[in-house]
């Protein structure tokens, strides 16, 4: 997340490149666990700031999300101002070629628990990828389907209504575990659709992997939390409510 999401984590939050001289700096957290915006703006000045690395806070095998290509890095500071969604810092993807990516290496079999905070910026196009978790298209992903509808596919296609209204922040929470799956959007009560149970191979934000740049999303992302297990119902509600409260999602 663009905040400290694990109490025992002692590393930085993001690595940021400023647009004037392309200098990079690690940005950590303030005393409340929020992104250290003072350090971020001191680094960027009146310039733009782009996320080169979004650090993994799990404390296990490092799955940092990174983008070395300067033309593909999502923006977090614009002309000396932190970009925000519902008052909190967010990373903005341009819809052309911006993405952050990390290969997992060995396939990670289900179940998984995923908490994803996103916003579609501007006019919403159909069939553009928000989050991809497999190298093969249509295997483990979240993308737009049609007006106000988001499509999930982890082996079964499931659609979520009223989940991609433009310029509106959403949290999509799920346990991907076949017939024992769970799904919730913002403050709605959780449902129990069969989401499928495909493996995860990688993490890509901003595009569905296995497709071209035309599948990139003009979007913002504020938080992504992935557990390599099915969290309990109590844990699911606790994380879901914490994220909803932090991002003012109701």
């Amino acid at each position: 997340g663009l905040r400290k999401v694990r109490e025992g984590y002692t590393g930085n939050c993001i690595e940021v490149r400023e647009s004037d001289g392309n200098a990079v700096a690690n940005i950590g957290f303030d005393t409340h666990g929020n992104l250290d915006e003072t350090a971020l703006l001191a680094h960027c000045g009146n310039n733009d700031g782009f996320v080169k690395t979004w650090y993994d806070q799990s404390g296990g095998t490092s799955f940092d999300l990174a983008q070395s290509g300067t033309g593909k890095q999502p923006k977090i500071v614009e002309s000396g101002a932190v970009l925000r969604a519902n008052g909190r810092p967010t990373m903005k993807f341009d819809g052309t070629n911006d993405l952050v990516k990390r290969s997992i290496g060995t396939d990670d079999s289900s179940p998984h628990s995923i908490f994803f905070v996103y916003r579609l910026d501007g006019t919403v196009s159909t069939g553009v990828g928000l989050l991809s978790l497999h190298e093969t298209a249509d295997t483990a992903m979240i993308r737009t389907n049609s007006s106000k509808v988001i499509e999930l596919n982890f082996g079964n296609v499931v659609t979520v209504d009223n989940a991609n209204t433009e310029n509106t922040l959403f949290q999509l929470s799920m346990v991907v575990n076949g017939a024992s799956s769970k799904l919730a959007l913002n403050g709605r009560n959780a449902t129990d659709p069969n989401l499928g149970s495909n493996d995860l191979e990688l993490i890509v934000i901003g595009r569905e992997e296995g497709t071209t740049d035309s599948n990139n999303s003009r979007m913002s992302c504020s938080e992504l939390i992935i557990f390599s297990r099915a969290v309990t119902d109590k844990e699911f509600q606790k994380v879901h409510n914490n994220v909803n409260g932090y991002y003012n999602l109701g």
Side-chain angles (χ1 to χ4, degrees), residues 29-61:
F29 308 94
D30 64 20
T31 56
H32 301 288
N34 301 309
L35 181 67
D36 189 342
E37 297 184 32
T38 300
L40 176 61
L41 294 180
H43 173 61
C44 294
N46 293 322
N47 306 301
D48 295 341
F50 298 88
V51 176
K52 182 179 180 182
T53 308
W54 194 7
Y55 291 112
D56 173 28
Q57 297 183 33
S58 68
T61 301

Side-chain angles (χ1 to χ4, degrees), residues 97-222:
N97 59 3
D98 285 1
L99 59 92
V100 290
K101 180 176 180 178
R102 170 72 192 201
S103 174
I104 292 175
T106 303
D107 289 3
D108 190 16
S109 58
S110 68
H112 300 93
S113 304
I114 302 167
F115 302 84
F116 181 48
V117 180
Y118 66 92
R119 181 184 69 192
L120 279 299
D121 296 325
T123 303
V124 177
S125 300
T126 299
V128 293
L130 308 181
L131 176 65
S132 186
L133 298 166
H134 200 282
E135 294 176 353
T136 306
D138 298 330
T139 302
M141 59 80 190
I142 301 171
R143 69 182 175 197
T144 60
N145 178 287
S146 59
S147 177
K148 298 186 178 181
V149 178
I150 287 290
E151 177 184 319
L152 316 177
N153 190 344
F154 292 85
N156 284 332
V157 176
V158 174
T159 56
V160 185
D161 293 337
N162 299 310
N164 75 359
T165 306
E166 64 183 76
N167 302 317
T168 302
L169 195 67
F170 293 99
Q171 178 193 189
L172 199 55
S173 307
M174 67 197 81
V175 176
V176 180
N177 192 22
S180 299
S181 297
K182 184 178 294 291
L183 178 65
L185 179 76
N186 289 7
R188 297 187 202 170
N189 291 331
T191 58
D192 302 300
N194 187 334
L195 296 176
S197 56
N198 285 345
D199 294 350
L200 305 191
E201 290 186 345
L202 45 65
I203 304 169
V204 179
I205 301 174
R207 186 181 75 193
E208 182 185 352
E209 195 68 357
T211 58
T212 64
D213 286 352
S214 62
N215 188 252
N216 283 63
S217 290
R218 187 180 174 197
M219 62 172 286
S220 296
C221 178
S222 302

Side-chain angles (χ1 to χ4, degrees), residues 220-237:
S220 296
C221 178
S222 302
E223 193 148 303
L224 173 64
I225 302 171
I226 301 177
F227 295 89
S228 293
R229 63 180 178 89
V231 298
T232 66
D233 288 348
K234 184 176 181 179
E235 290 172 327
F236 183 90
Q237 202 61 50

